[in-house]
Amino acid sequence: MANLELTLLGTGSPVHVPHRYGPSQVISAGDKRLLIDTGWSSTIRLFQANMPPQTIDAVFITHLHSDHTTDMADFLVMRWVGGTRHAIPIYGPEGTKRMIHGFQEAMAADTKYRLDHHGDKLWSGGLAADVTEFVTGDEPVEIAKLGDITVKAFEVEHFPVKPAYGFRFEAGGSVIAISGDTNPCAGLLNGSKDADIMGCDSMNVNMMQGLEERLRGIGNANQAALLEDAHSYHAPISGMAELAQKAGVKHLVLSHLIPPVTDDLAPQFVAGLDKVFSGKLTVGKDLEKFVV
């Protein structure tokens, strides 16, 4: 039985920065690779991680916020021109079918041009996807099984984004949980129970407030006001550490960092968390890999 692995493709936030790309991860075991979310520039990161899109077996979407989904068009195109000849399975919340259809329609002219030019060198199905919309609650429910990996989904608290989900990946007695975007909640507690690794949404409130002050200082009060709203539906870092401790998580990997700090500020981002979480703690970086 192959070990579960977590590869962080993007660990950033809706605020674009050059060192952290949009939220996205890959879970792998054996010959299976599962992509979670398609945040901005995640397709580039797949190539950099030596996991080109045509090697991805399925995609799982936590929720339909733009910073988790806008690279879907590039992923579908690069997968197709990479040589695949079958529809990609995609699992996501209600609205995922409409979103995927929209990306396919946006690229319809490109698809036609390439088929006209290359003929049967490309699969005639183009950007086809087999989309499954699922519904779960606070308890993790199995939604897919690919190779040795069982995938379970659970609902998280990201209101007014509803539904929003996290995922639990199980293989050979090992568990990796992905929180999705959330506040501490019952679904995340249940979904991350005894996880070997949890990839976790994380917001440092003090550092966010500092960023908001700097934005106001340079005359960008509107963006500062938008960031203030993020406080209501992202996990405060201390609360997530407390939940991870309660759930028995062994290794807490912080991703989707809000604000998207540089590496030199990582110690400040997690200052004091060792008082509430006794397991291993990592501030994740793009392209970092973790093996259970």
Side-chain angles (χ1 to χ4, degrees), residues 175-190:
V175 175
I176 295 178
I178 300 295
S179 72
D181 284 10
T182 183
N183 278 302
C185 63
L188 181 59
L189 180 63
N190 296 332

Side-chain angles (χ1 to χ4, degrees), residues 36-37 60-69 91-96 133-141 143 152-168 178-189 191 201 232-235 256:
I36 301 91
D37 288 340
F60 295 82
I61 302 296
T62 60
H63 65 293
L64 303 183
H65 256 151
S66 61
D67 57 316
H68 292 254
T69 60
Y91 300 81
E94 180 183 359
T96 301
E133 295 184 347
F134 59 85
V135 177
T136 71
D138 289 344
E139 294 293 335
V141 173
I143 60 168
K152 297 180 179 179
F154 49 89
E155 190 170 11
V156 295
E157 184 184 304
H158 195 43
F159 187 81
V161 181
K162 189 174 177 65
Y165 295 110
F167 296 109
R168 180 182 177 92
I178 300 295
S179 72
D181 284 10
T182 183
N183 278 302
C185 63
L188 181 59
L189 180 63
D201 180 23
S232 67
Y233 67 0
H234 281 287
H256 200 1

Side-chain angles (χ1 to χ4, degrees), residues 84-235:
T84 52
R85 291 182 173 268
H86 63 275
I88 181 76
I90 299 176
Y91 300 81
E94 180 183 359
T96 301
K97 289 181 180 180
R98 178 185 179 190
M99 179 186 74
I100 297 301
H101 179 69
F103 282 123
Q104 292 165 332
E105 283 294 301
M107 303 308 296
D110 175 82
T111 303
K112 180 181 183 302
Y113 298 150
R114 295 189 188 281
L115 286 171
D116 289 347
H117 186 195
H118 300 293
D120 60 8
K121 293 178 183 178
L122 288 172
W123 178 49
S124 61
L127 311 189
D130 181 8
V131 181
T132 299
E133 295 184 347
F134 59 85
V135 177
T136 71
D138 289 344
E139 294 293 335
V141 173
E142 182 175 334
I143 60 168
K145 186 170 179 63
L146 294 101
D148 294 332
I149 308 175
T150 298
V151 186
K152 297 180 179 179
F154 49 89
E155 190 170 11
V156 295
E157 184 184 304
H158 195 43
F159 187 81
V161 181
K162 189 174 177 65
Y165 295 110
F167 296 109
R168 180 182 177 92
F169 301 89
E170 301 175 349
S174 299
V175 175
I176 295 178
I178 300 295
S179 72
D181 284 10
T182 183
N183 278 302
C185 63
L188 181 59
L189 180 63
N190 296 332
S192 61
K193 186 170 179 59
D194 298 323
D196 295 281
I197 298 172
M198 178 165 74
C200 186
D201 180 23
S202 49
M203 178 179 64
N204 185 299
V205 175
N206 290 334
M207 296 178 84
M208 272 286 280
Q209 291 172 338
L211 174 59
E212 291 153 14
E213 284 298 319
R214 290 193 295 276
L215 288 169
R216 281 189 284 267
I218 61 174
N220 200 339
N222 185 65
Q223 188 172 18
L226 292 174
L227 289 179
E228 287 175 346
D229 290 343
H231 292 231
S232 67
Y233 67 0
H234 281 287

Side-chain angles (χ1 to χ4, degrees), residues 5 24 40 66 81 88 101 119 162 166 187 248 288 291:
E5 297 182 3
S24 185
W40 51 277
S66 61
V81 301
I88 181 76
H101 179 69
K162 189 174 177 65
E288 196 166 8
V291 180

